[in-house]
Amino acid sequence: MLQRPRRGDPVWIWVLHGWEVFSWGLIALVTLITMAGGTPTDRKLGILALTAVLALCYGLVRTRPAGQPAAGYGYLCALVVVLGLLSYLGDGFGVFYTVTLTQFIVFADSPRGAVLFTGLGALAITLGGSLREGGQPDVFLTNTISSLGVWAVAVVMALLTPRALAQRDERAALRAELKSTQLELAEVYQRQGAAEERERLAREIHDTLAQGFASIIVLAEAARSQLAVDVDRSAQQLQSIEQTARENLAEARVLVGAAPRSGVAPGSVAVTLRRTLDRFTEDTGLDVTADLADIDCDRPTRIALLRCTQESLANVRKHAAATTVGVVLAHGPDTVELEITDDGRGFVVEDSHGFGLDGMRKRLAEFGGGLTVTSSLGDGTRILATIPLAPDSQE
């Protein structure tokens, strides 16, 4: 038995069920007209009784749960019998067969069942109408041709309905698959966003807090070792420890969103880098030469250049054992270039997979830039960071 239409069903299914409901309106109208006409009383009572029995059977089968084909076929058997008897009792009642075609399709659970029972219905009205008219062969032939024409329409309807249902089910499956895919994509984007955020925080912590704590440790060790020898130098190192701790605190507040980004001077990146280099010289005592062009760039670019400088200087302090450091900030045709060199012990670039260099590469890649590392054992190290710089990227 075909279930009631639901949202998303093809138009054909809605028309089918709408016709089923409309058929009962026509049956009631024809029955009332017959009751008011000149049909003999005994035939009127017979027609009224048959119509009432059919309506009762319809109500019973419609109140039963869906998915019970036996109930549907039971109603169709009753429909075939009533159509045949009505055709026998009254002139023109064979039209009920045309009116109720959709009921044969709705209550059958397969196209084969619908075709079979519509054929039985055609046979019933042919026999009933022919017997009422005398049963002559020519009358039987005329009624048979008329019934076969209507039955052909019923066959077409029975074959079209499964295709409409298949389209409905296919569309429902596609909608479910699309919804599932959208949910999966949302989860993937959420996981990707969380991973990117963790990586960004890890990079920020490494470039700011971790480097700051490393500086504090180095300065504290130096201050402790020189406390009895050079009090002034130890006091200077303690002051640097305090300043670094304050800067780390400010950076921590930035990372948790409790304060605006600090440590980056507005406008010229050279001002920011100069302050960083002065602190580095003060803390390490190394000879630093700097050639910093006065370049205006936006805040994200200044931050990227500052972090690259801080990471490079931290590597020099921890690993290079250098005596001099050179820093050059230059404006290329379409880029800003930052070069940092040292005369330290160097390293094999291919064997280096540290978080710091990888973090610099990823940070620069976000701006479409790149990082070039040149080094060899005993020959020092050269770091070249490039970032594309649009003409209107000033802040």
Side-chain angles (χ1 to χ4, degrees), residues 87-140:
S87 298
Y88 176 75
L89 290 176
D91 185 18
F93 275 84
V95 73
F96 278 9
Y97 173 65
T98 303
V99 172
T100 58
L101 281 182
T102 56
Q103 296 190 25
F104 287 98
I105 299 172
V106 168
F107 288 99
D109 67 340
S110 68
R112 180 179 298 178
V115 170
L116 174 61
F117 274 88
T118 51
L120 293 175
L123 178 61
I125 65 169
T126 300
L127 291 175
S130 299
L131 291 175
R132 180 177 49 81
E133 296 177 19
Q136 293 84 359
D138 57 334
V139 174
F140 184 80

Side-chain angles (χ1 to χ4, degrees), residues 32-254:
L32 288 175
I33 292 174
T34 302
M35 295 300 102
T39 305
T41 303
D42 56 342
R43 288 181 178 265
K44 285 183 180 180
L45 294 176
I47 292 171
L48 184 61
L50 289 172
T51 306
V53 168
L54 185 63
L56 177 62
C57 292
Y58 179 84
L60 289 175
V61 74
R62 271 304 182 192
T63 57
R64 297 181 69 86
Q68 296 184 359
Y73 282 121
Y75 171 74
L76 292 181
C77 290
L79 179 60
V80 169
V81 173
V82 169
L83 287 176
L85 292 176
L86 286 174
S87 298
Y88 176 75
L89 290 176
D91 185 18
F93 275 84
V95 73
F96 278 9
Y97 173 65
T98 303
V99 172
T100 58
L101 281 182
T102 56
Q103 296 190 25
F104 287 98
I105 299 172
V106 168
F107 288 99
D109 67 340
S110 68
R112 180 179 298 178
V115 170
L116 174 61
F117 274 88
T118 51
L120 293 175
L123 178 61
I125 65 169
T126 300
L127 291 175
S130 299
L131 291 175
R132 180 177 49 81
E133 296 177 19
Q136 293 84 359
D138 57 334
V139 174
F140 184 80
L141 178 61
T142 301
N143 289 340
T144 299
I145 294 174
S146 176
S147 298
L148 285 176
V150 179
W151 182 60
V153 174
V155 171
V156 173
M157 293 170 60
L159 295 177
L160 286 178
T161 301
R163 294 184 180 181
L165 292 175
Q167 291 179 357
R168 177 198 66 187
D169 295 339
E170 182 179 357
R171 291 174 182 173
L174 288 175
R175 286 194 297 268
E177 183 178 356
L178 177 60
K179 184 177 181 180
S180 176
T181 302
Q182 289 174 337
L183 292 175
E184 291 178 0
L185 285 176
E187 293 177 359
V188 169
Y189 287 141
Q190 185 177 9
R191 290 195 297 267
Q192 181 180 358
E196 290 176 353
E197 180 63 13
R198 285 195 298 270
E199 183 178 347
R200 185 192 69 81
L201 286 175
R203 190 169 60 233
E204 291 292 340
I205 291 173
H206 176 272
D207 293 347
T208 56
L209 301 182
Q211 300 294 2
F213 287 131
S215 297
I216 289 174
I217 292 173
V218 172
L219 290 170
E221 291 175 346
R224 186 177 63 237
S225 63
Q226 297 183 14
L227 186 60
V229 179
D230 190 345
V231 177
D232 293 336
R233 176 61 178 167
S234 296
Q236 183 182 6
Q237 291 168 334
L238 289 174
Q239 185 177 2
S240 295
I241 290 174
E242 179 184 355
Q243 180 63 27
T244 303
R246 292 182 183 277
E247 292 174 357
N248 262 23
L249 178 59
E251 292 291 351
R253 288 172 175 169
V254 169

